[in-house]
Amino acid sequence: KVPAVNHANDLLQTFVRPAAGAVLFPSNTQVVAYLHPVLAMIAGLLVAGGVHAAKSAAIRPVVTATTGGAGNVVLSLAEDILAAVLSILSVVIPVVIAALIIVITAFVVWWLWRRANAERAA
């Protein structure tokens, strides 16, 4: 959260983030079965590099210029909080969706069973 260290880290990450995206995208998705690995690496590089460029070339300089560097700490904390929330949601949302599918399926089966028993009684 120290401004000088933060800028040095962003400079270093200019090379690390796109390289990490190039390696992680094809290794964590099943796209390599349908796409040439080099093309998958290029896609990962472009996505990670694009996100880094938007952050370091578009957002950070504006915040630094408008707040004299004081807003960088707040922005960095907001980025950390957003990353934590999105990480938690990426785990929780699929579980919630699975639970909803189970509940809806159980309700539909119960409703059909009740309807069939009502028709037999009538």
Side-chain angles (χ1 to χ4, degrees):
K1 306 304 179 217
V2 179
V5 175
N6 201 9
H7 290 302
N9 184 42
D10 276 341
L11 183 63
L12 174 68
Q13 294 302 321
T14 300
F15 304 103
V16 174
R17 287 179 181 148
V23 172
L24 291 174
F25 179 74
S27 67
N28 284 326
T29 61
Q30 300 303 318
V31 64
V32 217
Y34 309 106
L35 194 64
H36 195 277
V38 173
L39 195 56
M41 289 178 73
I42 291 171
L45 181 124
L46 290 175
V47 169
V51 170
H52 176 71
K55 176 189 166 203
S56 65
I59 298 170
R60 287 282 182 172
V62 171
V63 172
T64 302
T66 58
T67 64
N72 287 342
V73 173
V74 175
L75 182 61
S76 182
L77 285 172
E79 289 170 348
D80 293 344
I81 291 168
L82 181 64
V85 167
L86 289 177
S87 296
I88 291 167
L89 287 177
S90 71
V91 173
V92 170
I93 288 177
V95 173
V96 170
I97 296 297
L100 279 174
I101 289 172
I102 291 169
V103 168
I104 290 170
T105 303
F107 175 75
V108 168
V109 168
W110 172 79
W111 181 73
L112 290 172
W113 177 77
R114 187 171 165 213
R115 186 174 157 195
N117 284 340
E119 288 176 1
R120 284 188 207 148

